Amino acid sequence: MLVVNALGVFTTVWLARTAHELAGPAGVPATETTSRSATRREPRLLVTVALVLPLVVVGAEEGARFGFTGLDEGCRERIRSYADTRPQDRRRSFLCLARDDGHAGTAMFPGNLPERRILAHGEELCAVPGAEERQALLRRAGGSATTDELGDALEFLCPGVIARQRADQAREQAREEAEQERELAAWKAEMNARCADPWPKPRARRQGTAAYLLFEGGGYYISDDRDSVEGPAGDVFAAIDDGFIDAAGSSAAITTYGENEAMCLTVKAFGTAPPLRLKGWDKVVEVGLLSRSGRLVVPPYPEGGDSGAIGPLPNLAVDGPGRYRMRVYARELEWDEDDPEAPAEEHLIVVYPGRSTKKVVHRPWR
């Protein structure tokens, strides 16, 4: 007999009769036959059950979500900051950053790792005390990422740990920057101490002396650094062709003997033309300049740059906007093989009001 139970499972039931029951008289009601045979032997009930069961999902629903889904294309663009990410979405954000190849083209973890294993690695990384230790553990797990990339991902699993790491990094960076500033200041002081005013008298209205670091090719400029009017300007290549100086408009280009080295530069601004002093100088040339904004300056040594005055030098346009005369002195210095950072040459720039634009060579270049 085939029976369908309440669970929809097919059940086959076979009723086995005894020999006496099979030999009973025909036409006797089943109830009577059963009653008489019951006094002698109970019938045997043979039940054969065939079960067809559906597939059962192993593990909780949450576990199924983090089995092995592979890379979620474009998930990085959908990630918000940790503070703006819902708690139930934070592990998914971590997995996105752990699987995504980002901008470097390399995923943080191998692509054949299931997400459960990646999450386990993440928890292990969170338990490690320092950034360097986390990097070593990541490498042992077959992964690769910069400290910042790893921190951005782990923030979604252990925000407190990463916050402390970033605070430590900020303090270390501030310490290194302070040390670099001290070293730079000491270097500037040492370089400027090598230079002295070659013309201490007469005193100018404004003056200054500093070491000047030359770039590749040599040469430097003096100009109105706030002049926004387009027009002719001194060109260093024209100055090289000329031999020393090329002046035009509000700037002048001056050539040097050397390049990629330091020289000493002194600047002086007078109210009137100072006396001409030629002794001891190899080149002395005077040109005219225009200052529209009331500034004539030597470029300072820029942070991360390669040329400029290492120490502060003043604005030489002492009478404000107008025309000025600029006299430039230059000479080579003796080279000291035991002091490779010693200045190789010295320049003196004298500026005073004057309307002439004529170039005057007081001592020709050789």
Side-chain angles (χ1 to χ4, degrees):
M1 178 173 61
L2 189 62
V3 181
V4 180
N5 65 11
L7 296 177
V9 178
F10 293 101
T11 305
T12 304
V13 180
W14 296 93
L15 297 178
R17 288 177 147 185
T18 64
H20 294 287
E21 291 170 332
L22 294 173
V28 178
T31 55
E32 182 181 345
T33 305
T34 303
S35 176
R36 287 199 299 266
S37 63
T39 59
R40 295 187 296 273
R41 188 171 183 177
E42 291 292 332
R44 292 176 296 166
L45 181 64
L46 179 61
V47 180
T48 303
V49 180
L51 298 178
V52 181
L53 297 177
L55 290 175
V56 178
V57 177
V58 179
E61 180 183 355
E62 181 69 10
R65 289 179 59 232
F66 295 101
F68 186 89
T69 61
L71 174 61
D72 180 7
E73 295 288 348
C75 65
R76 181 181 287 266
E77 285 70 25
R78 298 192 300 270
I79 290 181
R80 298 181 179 181
S81 67
Y82 169 80
D84 294 332
T85 301
R86 299 181 304 173
Q88 61 267 34
D89 295 334
R90 288 169 184 167
R91 289 203 297 175
R92 179 58 65 189
S93 295
F94 165 75
L95 287 170
C96 170
L97 294 175
R99 282 211 183 280
D100 187 50
D101 57 10
H103 301 292
T106 304
M108 188 176 299
F109 287 96
N112 60 353
L113 282 183
E115 293 181 348
R116 280 182 175 276
R117 191 57 189 146
I118 294 177
L119 284 169
H121 282 315
E123 297 294 343
E124 292 171 357
L125 289 166
C126 284
V128 175
E132 293 183 2
E133 292 84 351
R134 277 190 282 276
Q135 283 291 331
L137 180 58
L138 179 64
R139 288 192 294 270
R140 289 197 295 272
S144 175
T146 66
T147 299
D148 290 340
E149 289 171 343
L150 183 57
D152 290 343
L154 290 178
E155 183 180 22
F156 290 99
L157 294 184
C158 47
V161 172
I162 301 306
R164 288 191 294 272
Q165 171 186 309
R166 289 171 176 169
D168 292 341
Q169 289 175 335
R171 285 191 292 270
E172 178 62 19
Q173 182 178 355
R175 187 196 65 78
E176 291 178 355
E177 290 176 353
E179 180 63 24
Q180 291 173 357
E181 289 179 1
R182 286 192 293 269
E183 292 177 356
L184 180 61
W187 172 75
K188 287 181 176 181
E190 179 183 356
M191 294 300 295
N192 289 327
R194 296 172 179 268
C195 299
D197 185 350
W199 195 18
K201 294 182 180 180
R203 293 288 297 177
R205 289 171 57 180
R206 297 175 188 169
Q207 64 183 44
T209 298
Y212 191 101
L213 194 62
L214 296 168
F215 59 81
E216 184 176 358
Y220 63 98
Y221 288 87
I222 182 168
S223 65
D224 183 342
D225 61 346
R226 295 179 182 173
D227 187 356
S228 60
V229 178
E230 295 183 2
D235 181 75
V236 69
F237 296 103
I240 292 172
D241 293 338
D242 182 70
F244 190 31
I245 299 176
D246 179 61
S250 59
S251 70
I254 301 104
T255 61
T256 54
Y257 291 100
E259 60 178 328
N260 293 324
E261 59 190 10
M263 72 173 190
C264 289
L265 177 62
T266 296
V267 297
K268 292 176 177 285
F270 296 89
T272 57
L276 180 64
R277 179 182 177 182
L278 301 178
K279 184 179 180 180
W281 295 98
D282 300 331
K283 305 174 185 178
V284 182
V285 178
E286 192 168 317
V287 295
L289 282 179
L290 170 66
S291 173
R292 293 186 177 90
S293 74
R295 286 176 60 81
L296 287 173
V297 297
V298 174
Y301 179 73
E303 293 184 10
D306 56 4
S307 66
I310 296 175
L313 293 176
N315 171 23
L316 301 177
V318 290
D319 280 357
R323 294 192 174 276
Y324 290 86
R325 297 292 291 170
M326 182 181 75
R327 189 186 306 159
V328 182
Y329 300 75
R331 63 188 173 193
E332 286 187 284
L333 299 176
E334 292 185 5
W335 181 64
D336 185 355
E337 61 181 5
D338 297 327
D339 188 5
E341 291 191 353
E345 61 187 285
E346 184 174 33
H347 286 217
L348 167 66
I349 296 177
V350 173
V351 176
Y352 60 93
R355 298 194 59 81
S356 174
T357 59
K358 182 180 179 180
K359 176 185 288 187
V360 179
V361 178
H362 296 291
R363 171 154 291 179
W365 41 89
R366 297 186 293 273

